[in-house]
Amino acid sequence: QAEDGIRDVERSRGLGDVYKRQVLNIDKPHMVGGIGLVFAVFSTFTLILSVLMFRMLSLKLKSLALRAEVRHLRVDILESLLVLFGVLMAIVINPMYDYITAVAVISLMILGMVENLREVVETLTYKVPSQQLLNKVKGIALSVHGVKECHSIRARRLGAFKI
């Protein structure tokens, strides 16, 4: 009661006096339990199944969106394996591995975003193909029966496809 000023002549300075006497344990940032390992294994397994399914579909449909999703899920598998390793190391050795794993996963996420953005920009912005490809198009056009001359060939490249 002396801490809250009820029976003291001097007024208390509040709970700061109480907190100053508490012992803080900063040797272990937090404990990682075995349930984290179960979730990491389950997450990795479901991601592997998803990649197999989407990869088959992306090859069949030749879809840019599905290819991006497969790439995203492959990175997710790598991240899940990394998390699985980090959780295991945090349980067995030191909880600090959990934080190290989080930084590595964030780095992989940023790398994946940059890779996807690069492909999207290529798809959204037309690119002029090389002179070699333009000469090949001109050769094809001139090989058509009845075509005597070909000039001012215009072509644009769209992502991985040439138009």
Side-chain angles (χ1 to χ4, degrees):
Q1 289 182 353
E3 292 170 343
D4 58 17
I6 294 175
R7 296 203 177 127
D8 278 346
V9 178
E10 297 179 24
R11 292 197 48 89
S12 172
R13 294 188 315 232
L15 289 176
D17 293 336
V18 176
Y19 294 138
K20 287 178 188 172
R21 289 194 305 271
Q22 288 183 348
V23 177
L24 296 177
N25 185 4
I26 58 174
D27 293 337
K28 295 183 180 178
H30 70 279
M31 294 305 294
V32 179
I35 192 71
L37 196 59
V38 172
F39 282 118
V41 168
F42 180 74
S43 172
T44 304
F45 178 73
T46 56
L47 284 170
I48 290 171
L49 290 178
S50 298
V51 163
L52 293 175
M53 181 184 70
F54 281 123
R55 182 164 164 72
M56 287 182 354
L57 282 173
S58 73
L59 292 174
K60 181 179 178 182
L61 301 176
K62 297 180 181 175
S63 167
L64 174 66
L66 285 175
R67 278 198 333 253
E69 187 62 23
V70 167
R71 188 170 41 253
H72 171 173
L73 290 174
R74 280 190 307 203
V75 172
D76 283 353
I77 289 173
L78 180 61
E79 290 169 355
S80 285
L81 290 172
L82 192 59
V83 167
L84 181 62
F85 176 76
V87 167
L88 189 61
M89 296 299 283
I91 291 171
V92 174
I93 298 176
N94 187 333
M96 201 64 177
Y97 280 98
D98 198 31
Y99 294 119
I100 295 168
T101 301
V103 170
V105 167
I106 289 169
S107 301
L108 284 174
M109 291 170 79
I110 291 171
L111 183 67
M113 286 177 6
V114 168
E115 190 176 324
N116 279 337
L117 284 174
R118 192 175 304 144
E119 184 171 347
V120 168
V121 166
E122 275 189 19
T123 302
L124 295 177
T125 60
Y126 293 111
K127 289 187 170 184
V128 177
S130 68
Q131 189 61 42
Q132 181 182 5
L133 180 61
L134 292 175
N135 290 338
K136 188 175 180 181
V137 170
K138 184 176 182 177
I140 293 170
L142 289 172
S143 70
V144 174
H145 179 68
V147 175
K148 297 186 183 198
E149 188 178 332
C150 182
H151 58 87
S152 298
I153 297 174
R154 294 185 192 123
R156 296 288 180 259
R157 197 174 145 222
L158 181 62
F161 307 103
K162 295 168 182 75
I163 297 178

